[in-house]
Structure formats: structure tokens, C-alpha cells
Amino acid sequence: MLDQPEQTQSGGAMPEKAAAETLLEVTNIEVIYNHVILVLKGVSLKVPKGGITALLGGNGAGKTTTLKAISNLLHSERGEVTKGMITYRGERIQHLTPSELVDRGVIQVMEGRHCFEHLTVEENLLTGAYTRRDGKGAIAADLEMVYTYFPRLKERRTSQAGYTSGGEQQMTAIGRALMSRPETILLDEPSMGLAPQLVEQIFDIVKRLNEEQGVTFLLAEQNTNVALRFAHYGYILESGRVVMDGPAAELRENPDVKEFYLGMSEEGRKSFRDVRSYRRRKRWLS
Amino acid sequence: MPDQLIFAMEVTLNGLLNGVMYALVALGFVLIFKASGIFNYAQGVMALFAAMTLVGIQQGRVPFGHLINEIFGTDIHYFGWEVPALAAILLTALVMIGFAILAQRFVFRHLVGQEPIILFMATIGLAYFLEGVSDLMWGSEIRNLDVGLPQGINDSIDAVTFNLFGYGFFIDNLDITAAIVATVLVAGLIAFAQYTKQGRAMRAVADDHQAALSVGIKLNYVWVLVWSLAGIVALVAGIMWGSKSGVQFSLSLIALKALPVLMLGGFTSIPGAIIGGLIIGVGEALFEFAIGPMIGGATENWFAYVLALVFLVFRPQGLFGEKIIERV
Ligand SMILES: Nc1ncnc2c1ncn2[C@@H]1O[C@H](COP(=O)(O)OP(=O)(O)OP(=O)(O)O)[C@@H](O)[C@H]1O
Ligand SMILES: [Mg+2]
């Protein structure tokens, strides 16, 4: 992992030095499940090195599908990228297996955590180092590194992961990904099912990992509010299309985003009906 | 000591040793089921095929001899050499690994993500296919298998028990050997699963395919590994049963003995397979000894199933089956 100097800003604009290189680029991809269900209808996005990029949108918008298209976990779900291009450091990566991608530094933390429930927390972490060939010493050192970020996991290291709390499982899943020495983590809905305080804690750690370890994040979230506070840049996905993107600070101030994703407006919360008519209006316009 | 009690002890001991064999067969099932969720109907046929192959290699038989002779009008059956037992066992193990690779390459790889029932059907197909291959390769006659395992009554047990009870126990050396070999094998497997990187990967795959993929574990590789291990377990079971009662089609029916063991011990537990095997071995021997004569004998055929069914009612996940962890 790359060591980066500490960044002091909290969210907001992209760190200047990272504006340079695009690590991951998704260009106009289309994804079809089971040969017939068209889910992504031309999604494009860029993930700059050293940044936290958020992928936002409601249920079924296609966030998970986008991440899985990148990490190539779609195949086992009978999904397929039928159009478009995905590149990492300028190279096409669609033909690579998940294992080869992990080897190149791209790893996904799946939605719903997916810990190995009968393995202990520490064994879970060690499975993250499966593809590594740099020896036991380096792996042990990284295990300690993970424990410094997640002291709670150290206390729970011998517990079966299935019996740990939701928050601990999310930490285990992130820690497990870290054990592969990733350059980029595709983090799918880390806030899912966690109390607000824990969500805050997890995002704080994500931010520290980004700043101190230089890990690049592509973060899928329904929780727009939290995600936009921690991310540098955001894309908003709606039924398989990117409908808006911009620096996180701008998105936070955007009236549409405020209204429909942050649940704020002059008259207070909008009703579901209004959201639906908004959708209808939008469809007319597009 | 009353005679009945002494007899019962002998019966128990024999039952225990039989139970070890049951456990061994059950273990093959557990390995595959745990790692891939596949209930491998072909496990029994794999034992038959392994034993047939072992005999064939050992005796220097020409594989597919019948077929070759039929097509080319030749009359060859033997290469004219004999392969030492140990070398033949190793070669057979390689054949079983080859089988694992082929099964993965041509069948299971294409069924990733399918329903368990479809995978189960695939193993039924595989079982009949393998049975056919076994017939074609080595013929279907009954073969004697002798890899030099000690046979006959164990004299020292006979002598010791005679001195103690005035009645010598009849314990077959082969059963004792089988018990020892099975114990070593199981200990080895547990150590492998628990303490090695690949073993850990195997358990990870057993828990969650998707997550295993996501951390870069290669499912195909792990499954080939698991099927190879199951093949080797089948080989060992085939050697033990084959040495005892000859290699023939009925060897593949030992799978039927494993089923109640699995119901009892749980489909996912290695210790469960062992304890389950022992309980069934002892249970059926004692039942036959105590109750059998009153109801016409031959209770071994069904006792295990009844025991397992009774168990199923009270503990559906089996004695040691993994608790289904349910929390979000
Ligand atoms: N394996 C699958 N087969 C068929 N359709 C699928 C499959 N997985 C997802 N979909 C469909 O694709 C669409 C997008 O799903 P996806 O999981 O990518 O959404 P998401 O944005 O991650 O939603 P959430 O916030 O609920 O996780 C949904 O309509 C879903 O029903
Ligand atoms: Mg999702």
C-alpha cells in the first residue's frame, strides 16, 4: 500500500495531488442478467487514485451490479457485461478472474458483509491474504496493521465470525480486504443495517485508510448523507443510468439531491407520491 | 463375569471396528458436501472404481481389455507384470485425482450457482457413468484384493481376553488395521483443514462461495482439491472393504451404510461422521446380538436407518451438524 501524506480536509473537493491519475475507468457498460434482464444501461464513471468516489442511488439502481461488473463477480450470478469497457490503469480487465484482480490490487467488500461465519475473525482476515506470495512475516505485519485500525477485532479474534455483531462483521469484511494489500477497495453498502453511530465509526476508518494508507475507494451507498460527507466525488445512479455526478460538496448543495436523496426541502420531507411524480417528470424529460 | 456380558463386549468391539469403516465412507460425503453443498451420490461408486483400478493395476491388467479385444479381435488381458501394492495404491490415488479434475472440468464447473437438487442429479449421472467406465475398464467379475494387510484373527487379543475371561475374543486383524488407518486419515484431514492455507480456503468456500471468490480464492481449484480428497478417502474405504469381502459391485452399496451415519452425525461435521459411524456400528451389532434372535435376525440391514430416523425427529441437524447460524 502506498503511504500518502496526511490530508486535512474533511470530504469536500478531491485532494489536489490525486486529481492526476485515473485508476479505474468504466465506460458505457451494459449488464444483462440471465441473458434477458437488462440492468445497467450505459454506466460510465472514473475513479481517481487516492480518492473516495461514491456511487449513490436507491434500491435496485444498479450500484451492486456496477461494482460486481468491475470485480468480475457477476459471472457466478449469471450476469454479463455485454457492452462497454472497464479499464484499470489503462488496461482492460473484463477478462480477468476475481482472483487475478485481487492480485492486481482491486478487491470488493460485498454488500451484507459475507463473512465466513464458521471461521474465526482472525481466520477470516487471513483468507484475505490468500493470493499473496510475499511470505508469512509480511502477512503477520499486515494483520497487526488491521488490528490497529480495528482494535475491536483483536479482542474478538478467536470468535466465530457468525456470532459477532453486525458492526464487527463489517469491520471483519473490510479488514479481510485490507489483508490483500489492495490499491482499490470496492466497498458495497458498508452502512447496511448498522446503527448511525457505528456507520459514522466505519466511515471514519474508511477515511483514515484512504488518507494514511492511500487506499482508493469506490463506495456504493444508499445513505447519501453520510457518503457525501466522506467522499470526494459522487455519481448518482437511477435505474441503471448515471443521472448526475459531481464533486461531493457540490452534490450536497444541489437542490435536487437535497430534495430526493437527502430528504430535505423547504416544506420538509417530500412524500413518496411526490417522488414518484418527480420520477415520471424526469422520464418525460429524458 | 456372566457369559452374556462377555459376548456383548466382543460384539461391541467388533461393532466399533465396523463403525470406523462406516465413518470412513461417510467422511467422503461430508468433505464434498461441506465444501460445495453437493451431496455426492457417486461416493460409493468411487470406492468401487478405486478398488477395481487398484486391483487392475496391481495385477497388470490391460485397461479396456474387453473392448480392445472386441474391436481388434485380439486376445490380450495382462501386460505380464505385477505392480507392488504400494506403487499401485499411489497410482490409483493419481487416477482418483485425475477423476476429480475431469469431473470438475466437464461437469461441475458448468453447474456453478445451480440449485443443490440439480447438482445432486449430476452426481447420480456421474455415479452411473463411473460404474459403466469401471466395467469397461476392468470388467465386472469379482476380484480379490490383497495389498498385504494383515488378515485373520488377532492372536494377542485372543490370548489376553482368554486369560481374563476364559473366553478369547475373535477380532479380525483387518478390522484393527482399518480402524488405525481410518483414524490416521481423519486426523490428517482435520489437521489439513484446520491448519493449512488451502484447508482454510476449503472451509471458506464451504461457508460462502461468493465471498471466497471475492477474496481471490479459486473455486475450481478448491473443488478439485476436495474431490481429490474424497477420491482418496474412497480409495482407502475401497481397500478396506475390498480386502474384507472382495471387490465387486456390492462394494458401491457401502454408500447406503453411510447415509444413516450422515443423518446421525450431521452432513457437515467430520467429528460427527466419526461418532455417528461408531454409534451405528456398535448399535447395530448390539441390537442384532440382543434383539436379533427374537425377531428373526438380519437386523443390520435396517437398524441403522431406524436409529437415524428416530434421531432425525429430535435433532434434524444431526448430532454435530453445524448449527445454522442465523443472525443478521
Ligand atoms: N442475479 C440477478 N439476477 C437478475 N436480476 C438481478 C440480479 N441481481 C440484481 N438484479 C436486478 O438488478 C437491478 C439492480 O440491482 P443491484 O443489486 O445492482 O442494485 P443496488 O443499487 O445495489 O440496490 P441495493 O441498494 O438495494 O443494494 C435490480 O432491479 C435487481 O432486481
Ligand atoms: Mg446493492
Side-chain angles (χ1 to χ4, degrees):
Chain A
M1 263 168 267
L2 305 158
D3 286 278
Q4 268 208 336
E6 289 244 346
Q7 236 108 42
T8 40
Q9 76 225 84
S10 66
M14 276 288 311
E16 272 133 63
K17 61 166 296 191
E21 192 189 349
T22 298
L23 262 190
L24 173 70
E25 182 161 9
V26 175
T27 318
N28 212 11
I29 56 163
E30 197 177 274
V31 168
I32 296 186
Y33 281 112
N34 285 321
H35 301 293
V36 287
I37 311 169
L38 177 65
V39 169
L40 296 190
K41 303 155 188 164
V43 168
S44 301
L45 55 89
K46 282 185 187 174
V47 177
K49 188 174 167 68
I52 301 179
T53 307
L55 192 56
L56 306 164
N59 278 114
K63 305 180 295 294
T64 300
T65 305
T66 308
L67 294 195
K68 285 189 172 170
I70 298 167
S71 60
N72 230 332
L73 288 171
L74 271 185
H75 180 69
S76 57
E77 294 233 17
R78 328 195 94 236
E80 213 184 337
V81 178
T82 49
K83 267 189 203 151
M85 192 164 79
I86 303 171
T87 58
Y88 192 75
R89 293 181 167 281
E91 274 179 71
R92 298 190 71 144
I93 54 171
Q94 272 144 285
H95 60 281
L96 297 181
T97 62
S99 164
E100 288 164 329
L101 278 166
V102 172
D103 225 16
R104 293 196 184 196
V106 184
I107 192 165
Q108 176 161 357
V109 177
M110 289 199 289
E111 179 178 67
R113 308 184 273 267
H114 282 267
C115 291
F116 302 118
E117 50 186 27
H118 296 103
L119 271 59
T120 65
V121 167
E122 184 154 305
E123 284 175 330
N124 264 277
L125 296 177
L126 288 172
T127 57
Y130 184 79
T131 55
R132 285 174 61 173
R133 289 175 290 266
D134 53 355
K136 285 212 160 76
I139 291 173
D142 278 353
L143 194 61
E144 279 315 309
M145 181 272 288
V146 170
Y147 284 144
T148 57
Y149 281 96
F150 301 104
R152 183 78 192 133
L153 294 187
K154 190 160 192 171
E155 292 164 32
R156 303 286 269 146
R157 64 203 287 179
T158 55
S159 316
Q160 268 191 30
Y163 289 114
T164 59
S165 74
E168 288 159 351
Q169 288 186 9
Q170 187 63 64
M171 294 176 192
T172 305
I174 296 174
R176 186 174 65 188
L178 282 175
M179 288 301 292
S180 71
R181 284 189 155 261
E183 185 176 40
T184 302
I185 295 183
L186 311 171
L187 184 54
D188 198 352
E189 215 127 341
S191 74
M192 192 186 197
L194 300 185
Q197 210 183 348
L198 255 171
V199 173
E200 206 70 21
Q201 206 181 326
I202 299 268
F203 271 85
D204 269 327
I205 293 170
V206 166
K207 183 158 163 264
R208 278 182 56 207
L209 287 169
N210 172 250
E211 290 170 356
E212 298 165 13
Q213 305 287 333
V215 182
T216 301
F217 281 91
L218 175 58
L219 173 79
E221 256 304 338
Q222 283 201 28
N223 191 337
T224 314
N225 186 5
V226 180
L228 284 182
R229 268 195 294 120
F230 286 88
H232 305 118
Y233 199 88
Y235 291 84
I236 298 183
L237 216 55
E238 234 172 58
S239 38
R241 288 197 178 88
V242 176
V243 292
M244 199 184 293
D245 68 294
E250 278 174 34
L251 288 180
R252 273 208 306 268
E253 298 309 319
N254 181 300
D256 282 348
V257 175
K258 266 189 172 167
E259 198 170 340
F260 300 112
Y261 289 99
L262 298 175
M264 295 181 280
S265 72
E266 268 80 84
E267 313 96 79
R269 260 191 131 81
K270 282 269 175 181
S271 75
F272 184 61
R273 230 272 260 331
D274 295 328
V275 176
R276 278 227 309 244
S277 71
Y278 163 82
R279 287 247 163 94
R280 222 174 293 139
R281 200 176 72 228
K282 255 185 62 75
R283 219 170 289 138
W284 270 105
L285 292 175
S286 63
Chain B
M1 209 180 282
D3 281 357
Q4 283 296 320
L5 198 62
I6 294 173
F7 288 148
M9 279 171 67
E10 184 190 18
V11 167
T12 306
L13 205 54
N14 265 315
L16 269 178
L17 294 171
N18 261 333
V20 174
M21 300 274 235
Y22 298 160
L24 198 57
V25 183
L27 193 65
F29 282 97
V30 170
L31 277 175
I32 293 186
F33 188 79
K34 247 178 103 80
S36 59
I38 297 175
F39 181 80
N40 179 23
Y41 183 82
Q43 189 68 34
V45 182
M46 278 162 69
L48 170 69
F49 174 71
M52 271 294 188
T53 306
L54 177 56
V55 176
I57 292 176
Q58 222 185 345
Q59 300 178 348
R61 284 175 188 274
V62 179
F64 300 107
H66 282 293
L67 199 64
I68 294 170
N69 294 339
E70 203 61 43
I71 295 173
F72 301 104
T74 48
D75 190 30
I76 48 167
H77 296 283
Y78 292 93
F79 288 118
W81 66 61
E82 281 190 10
V83 179
L86 194 62
I89 291 174
L90 290 178
L91 282 172
T92 310
L94 288 181
V95 171
M96 295 315 286
I97 292 171
F99 170 72
I101 293 171
L102 293 178
Q104 184 58 32
R105 176 78 188 72
F106 291 108
V107 185
F108 296 105
R109 194 170 161 174
H110 305 283
L111 297 177
V112 174
Q114 295 284 8
E115 300 286 316
I117 186 73
I118 293 179
L119 295 167
F120 174 61
M121 300 287 225
T123 67
I124 295 182
L126 195 66
Y128 285 104
F129 175 77
L130 192 60
E131 199 184 310
V133 169
S134 175
D135 269 10
L136 266 185
M137 261 175 104
W138 309 111
S140 51
E141 301 86 5
I142 300 179
R143 298 276 151 74
N144 270 326
L145 176 63
D146 182 7
V147 290
L149 295 178
Q151 304 254 8
I153 304 303
N154 186 301
D155 293 329
S156 38
I157 292 185
D158 192 11
V160 168
T161 48
F162 187 83
N163 285 339
L164 276 176
F165 307 118
Y167 166 78
F169 286 8
F170 278 28
I171 304 291
D172 200 319
N173 270 321
L174 191 59
D175 288 337
I176 298 173
T177 316
I180 294 169
V181 170
T183 310
V184 171
L185 189 69
V186 169
L189 282 172
I190 291 178
F192 174 78
Q194 214 60 37
Y195 302 114
T196 67
K197 178 175 163 183
Q198 296 304 341
R200 194 163 55 221
M202 212 166 82
R203 286 184 294 137
V205 170
D207 262 3
D208 193 326
H209 295 180
Q210 279 272 327
L213 268 177
S214 82
V215 295
I217 293 172
K218 297 188 189 100
L219 289 189
N220 272 322
Y221 178 78
V222 171
W223 282 334
V224 165
L225 186 72
V226 169
W227 278 84
S228 301
L229 289 178
I232 288 165
V233 170
L235 169 61
V236 174
I239 293 174
M240 299 308 169
W241 285 69
S243 307
K244 202 169 173 177
S245 40
V247 181
Q248 53 183 314
F249 175 74
S250 68
L251 184 66
S252 67
L253 301 181
I254 55 176
L256 294 180
K257 280 289 181 196
L259 205 55
V261 173
L262 292 171
M263 284 151 82
L264 201 67
F267 281 74
T268 51
S269 165
I270 292 179
I274 300 163
I275 309 284
L278 295 182
I279 291 178
I280 289 206
V282 173
E284 75 177 15
L286 281 179
F287 190 80
E288 173 69 20
F289 170 73
I291 319 277
M294 293 177 220
I295 53 176
T299 57
E300 288 108 332
N301 291 328
W302 52 265
F303 175 77
Y305 278 90
V306 173
L307 188 65
L309 282 176
V310 170
F311 232 85
L312 218 48
V313 173
F314 295 106
R315 239 188 110 81
Q317 77 270 41
L319 259 185
F320 297 84
E322 271 167 358
K323 276 215 205 89
I324 303 146
I325 299 182
E326 267 179 40
R327 58 182 301 176
V328 192

